[in-house]
């Protein structure tokens, strides 16, 4: 019985050590990949266009959305 218990504890410690070793390697790999991405693919700031935003169809879009919401509420009345 004592031999089985020590064998079980040994197996548990080896398994937990493997898990912690894998997690440590995963953290190192994520940090290395993060540094590589930041180094070779720097974030490019968004460019603002000089063209004004065209608002010609805004009223038509709002009307379509309003009609769709009204139709949905009409079909799905929660009484």
């Amino acid at each position: 019985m004592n031999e089985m218990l020590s064998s079980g504890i040994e197996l548990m410690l080896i398994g937990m050590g493997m898990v912690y070793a894998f997690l440590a390697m995963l953290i190192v790999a994520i940090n290395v990949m993060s540094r590589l991405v930041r180094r070779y693919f720097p974030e490019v700031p968004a460019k603002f266009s000089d063209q004004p935003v065209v608002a010609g169809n805004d009223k038509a879009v709002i009307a379509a959305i309003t009609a769709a919401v009204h139709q949905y509420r009409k079909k799905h009345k929660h009484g």
Side-chain angles (χ1 to χ4, degrees):
M1 180 71 179
N2 196 14
E3 183 181 327
M4 289 180 63
L5 188 61
S6 66
S7 180
I9 290 173
E10 182 182 353
L11 184 62
M12 177 189 71
L13 291 175
I14 291 172
M16 289 175 66
M18 294 287 282
V19 168
Y20 285 122
F22 175 76
L23 290 175
M25 288 189 314
L26 186 64
I27 289 170
V28 169
I30 288 173
N31 285 331
V32 168
M33 288 191 312
S34 175
R35 287 187 193 131
L36 288 174
V37 166
R38 276 189 265 136
R39 183 178 198 179
Y40 293 111
F41 302 102
E43 199 170 312
V44 179
K47 295 181 181 178
F48 296 104
S49 68
D50 295 333
Q51 300 174 355
V53 176
V54 179
N57 291 335
D58 281 347
K59 290 184 180 183
V61 171
I62 292 172
I65 292 172
T66 305
V69 170
H70 178 70
Q71 195 172 29
Y72 176 81
R73 287 184 179 167
K74 189 176 172 184
K75 286 183 180 178
H76 297 91
K77 285 193 176 192
H78 298 287

